[in-house]
Amino acid sequence: MTAPMSRRTLMRAIGVSGAALAAPSLLTACGGDGDTGGSVSNKGTKAAPWPTYTPVKKGPKPDLPGTADGIQAGYLTYPGELYEAYGDKPGDGSTVHMMALSYGAAPAPYEKNAYWQEVAKALGVKIKFTVIPAADYPKKMATVMAGGELPDIISVGAGGYTLPREAQFVKSQMADLTEHLSGDSAKDYPHLANIPTYAWEGMGRISGKIYGVPVERPKFQDQLFYNKEMYEKGGYQDGMSPADFAAVTQQVSRAKKYALGAAVGPNPFGHRLHAVWHGAPNQWQAKGGDFTSMWGSDGFTEALELLAKIHKAGGFHPDSATLAPPDLKTKFYNGTVGGLSDGFMAMLPNLQGNQEDFTVGLALPYQAGGAQHAMQSRGMFGYTVLKKAPAKRIKLLLTILDYLAAPFGSKEYELLQYGIEGTHFKRDKDNNPIATEKGLADVQSGSLPFGAISDAPQPLYYPGFPDDAKRTHAWEKDTLPLLVPADHFGLQSATAVSQGATLEQQLADGVTAIVTGRKPVSSWDDIYKKWQNGGGKKIADEYAEERAAVK
């Protein structure tokens, strides 16, 4: 998948002011009763129970067992026999209009798109699909939210993009799904009930109710991917101290090779990862009845000191403050950069892009203050909402989402992930589906993003890299107990929506100035104070109120 542009770049490119791309909750409030949809706060409401988690028992037995609390089920080979998750087509022949964000090129039109046709045939409906390029997402969604004909199914918040008054729009215009999905009701949709609870919690409620279906992603967030041979030559060991880690970066950064690289975006120099590794909160932490932030913690300041030290000693690529994410990836793949911070789901692309045949490592956190800490994700890529309709229609649309979430090992999963055998993929000697040129263009590119509408829990399956799957599974078992949740996930904050992007940019600019040596670490106190006075303190208070309401 093509990496999304930075949030700052996206806003500049389309001229959208106030789009809260930095908002920490995907179902996020922006005001009181005067806004469209009224208050979306959970305060003073009775929270609907989440769907009863009911794992699907059909399908191949994993080679590497998964767990309900976040270890992925791992498969070293592709199943030789697939099962049928749906005996009958779920649709009624009607037209279903879907809308979702895509990072790929525009899809081929329906008449020339065998993948589109086959999925529509399997679902038993006519599919109208409005595909929104990532750069156009805020502008297009603002138009949709302002009025006019609504699609039946809308993917919202994919990749973390959040818009002003988004939750008010969802509450006022989209269907309340509580009676269909809360508690045991979700068992009518077995693949939606197969979505782990942590994904629903990451999505959050609106006014105590369930309005969406999350698209699950693993619990592991930002990671340090590294060139194992390069690092170990410099003495790297998992769990070493921050000072020893800094020494390794100096040891391996020579002859136009650099231990670390970074790219432009909201997380310059991977500072959030290093802050959590130093014991800082994962952005926000509930303490008693209050909320404290990563940016005001001792661990955050210690992380800045470490990153500034590494940068000064030449451990970062010299262009790290200006590199575009794709350029950073190229430098990692060709061995120029030995390590970078990226999302956990980048592991397979990193294995596939590796040009120097080095071992792609996933680092365990270093020991800071005698302990190790890792970042926990929201557990979701985005969420999907349905246009208000009679109960019969809502059930049909939920059944379509259920079909799209068919698990690994099913015929439905193979169709959705790989397309039609012989047209979009062929099998290698180990039975792994390998995309054809047409498959790369029509399916793997994400140009027709069914997976952004609804998806199965992600399996740990790296076709062609079984040993790396084993290493990753072992790493997950070591890392899961170290995960630090972000206590604001699923909560509401009006200020985070209205001012979040501006406040986030203040922090990012301050981090870049300090790490690159333009400002001393001591200047962080003033940067943090300005952020607090500009809205950070108010966000903390709003999260505290919300947490009290949902707990």
Side-chain angles (χ1 to χ4, degrees):
M1 177 183 290
T2 304
M5 67 175 69
S6 75
R7 297 172 181 184
R8 186 182 191 186
T9 303
L10 178 61
M11 290 180 69
R12 286 178 172 174
I14 64 173
V16 175
S17 63
L21 302 182
S25 173
L26 292 180
L27 297 184
T28 309
C30 85
D33 295 334
D35 295 305
T36 302
S39 173
V40 295
S41 172
N42 292 293
K43 185 178 179 180
T45 67
K46 183 178 180 181
W50 293 122
T52 302
Y53 176 53
T54 312
V56 172
K57 300 188 183 302
K58 296 180 180 178
K61 182 179 179 181
D63 302 294
L64 308 167
T67 63
D69 61 349
I71 303 295
Q72 290 178 282
Y75 301 86
L76 304 181
T77 59
Y78 194 73
E81 293 186 14
L82 304 178
Y83 78 97
E84 243 182 349
Y86 272 83
D88 299 317
K89 297 177 182 179
D92 59 3
S94 63
T95 297
V96 174
H97 185 184
M98 303 179 182
M99 187 170 77
L101 171 148
S102 172
Y103 297 118
Y110 177 83
E111 295 76 14
K112 299 180 180 180
N113 195 317
Y115 176 57
W116 192 340
Q117 294 171 21
E118 193 66 18
V119 173
K121 178 181 175 182
L123 288 173
V125 294
K126 300 178 183 69
I127 299 174
K128 178 182 177 182
F129 211 134
T130 299
V131 179
I132 309 175
D136 297 335
Y137 176 76
K139 185 176 181 180
K140 177 65 176 177
M141 281 300 299
T143 301
V144 171
M145 291 162 63
E149 181 183 353
L150 290 172
D152 298 290
I153 299 174
I154 305 177
S155 167
V156 184
Y161 299 128
T162 309
L163 299 170
R165 291 177 293 280
E166 181 176 296
Q168 275 79 5
F169 162 73
V170 171
K171 180 180 176 182
S172 64
Q173 301 297 318
M174 310 309 288
D176 177 359
L177 304 178
T178 306
E179 68 173 294
H180 303 280
L181 296 177
S182 185
D184 288 346
S185 297
K187 293 181 180 180
D188 290 340
Y189 310 97
H191 303 142
L192 302 186
N194 185 48
I195 297 173
T197 302
Y198 59 75
W200 298 93
E201 291 175 339
M203 178 183 70
R205 303 176 181 88
I206 296 178
S207 299
K209 298 180 179 181
I210 300 171
Y211 277 86
V213 174
V215 178
E216 187 271 354
R217 289 297 180 264
K219 286 179 78 171
F220 309 97
Q221 194 169 333
D222 293 353
Q223 310 304 330
L224 176 62
F225 294 92
Y226 68 100
N227 182 321
K228 200 166 171 40
E229 287 75 18
M230 178 192 287
Y231 270 42
E232 290 182 350
K233 189 175 180 179
Y236 174 82
Q237 294 180 352
D238 277 327
M240 64 196 325
S241 71
D244 288 341
F245 176 78
V248 168
T249 65
Q250 294 178 38
Q251 185 68 24
V252 303
S253 298
R254 55 191 64 198
K256 295 187 178 180
K257 303 281 186 181
Y258 305 92
L260 294 167
V264 296
N267 185 26
F269 296 94
H271 68 275
R272 292 177 185 167
L273 170 74
H274 291 278
V276 172
W277 281 16
H278 272 89
N282 184 359
Q283 298 181 71
W284 292 96
Q285 181 182 41
K287 276 193 168 184
D290 298 324
F291 259 70
T292 58
S293 76
M294 165 189 286
W295 307 282
S297 67
D298 291 341
F300 187 83
T301 306
E302 292 165 4
L304 285 183
E305 291 173 344
L306 178 74
L307 294 173
K309 177 181 177 181
I310 292 173
H311 188 276
K312 184 176 181 179
F316 275 100
H317 188 281
D319 298 332
S320 288
T322 57
L323 273 177
D327 295 333
L328 173 61
K329 283 300 188 85
T330 297
K331 293 182 186 301
F332 180 58
Y333 296 155
N334 67 24
T336 301
V337 163
L340 65 133
S341 172
D342 204 350
F344 171 73
M345 293 295 288
M347 183 60 171
L348 181 57
N350 286 342
L351 293 170
Q352 294 169 331
N354 183 350
Q355 299 169 6
E356 295 296 305
D357 199 28
F358 59 85
T359 304
V360 179
L362 272 168
L364 287 173
Y366 41 66
Q367 291 264 3
Q372 291 173 283
H373 312 272
M375 294 185 78
Q376 181 173 318
S377 77
R378 182 179 281 113
M380 55 178 286
F381 174 67
Y383 66 101
T384 297
V385 294
L386 308 179
K387 183 173 71 172
K388 288 182 178 180
K392 183 179 179 181
R393 180 69 171 177
I394 295 298
K395 289 177 181 179
L396 167 66
L397 298 178
L398 285 172
T399 302
I400 289 173
L401 298 188
D402 193 61
Y403 184 102
L404 297 178
F408 180 83
S410 67
K411 293 180 181 179
E412 292 81 358
Y413 181 93
E414 181 172 276
L415 169 63
L416 293 162
Q417 297 293 325
Y418 303 108
I420 304 168
E421 184 171 5
T423 300
H424 300 110
F425 73 92
K426 298 180 180 178
R427 301 187 191 274
D428 66 11
K429 61 182 179 61
D430 297 317
N431 195 44
N432 293 305
I434 305 299
T436 64
E437 186 174 339
K438 191 166 185 59
L440 290 172
D442 292 349
V443 183
Q444 300 302 316
S445 67
S447 63
L448 200 63
F450 287 109
I453 295 288
S454 188
D455 205 355
Q458 299 294 292
L460 182 60
Y461 169 60
Y462 299 156
F465 302 96
D467 290 339
D468 295 285
K470 290 179 184 177
R471 288 193 301 107
T472 301
H473 193 261
W475 174 90
E476 287 187 3
K477 290 193 288 186
D478 289 337
T479 303
L480 187 73
L482 310 178
L483 290 179
V484 178
D487 289 339
H488 65 292
F489 287 163
L491 302 183
Q492 313 287 355
S493 166
T495 306
V497 169
S498 61
Q499 299 171 235
T502 300
L503 291 170
E504 182 181 68
Q505 198 58 55
Q506 286 180 9
L507 297 172
D509 290 344
V511 168
T512 299
I514 290 172
V515 174
T516 57
R518 290 189 284 111
K519 288 185 178 182
V521 175
S522 60
S523 68
W524 184 254
D525 289 343
D526 289 336
I527 295 169
Y528 176 68
K529 187 178 296 183
K530 181 179 178 181
W531 174 84
Q532 281 275 77
N533 294 336
K537 177 63 169 63
K538 192 173 181 183
I539 292 173
D541 292 341
E542 289 168 355
Y543 282 145
E545 289 183 357
E546 276 288 298
R547 185 176 176 85
V550 300
K551 290 296 179 182

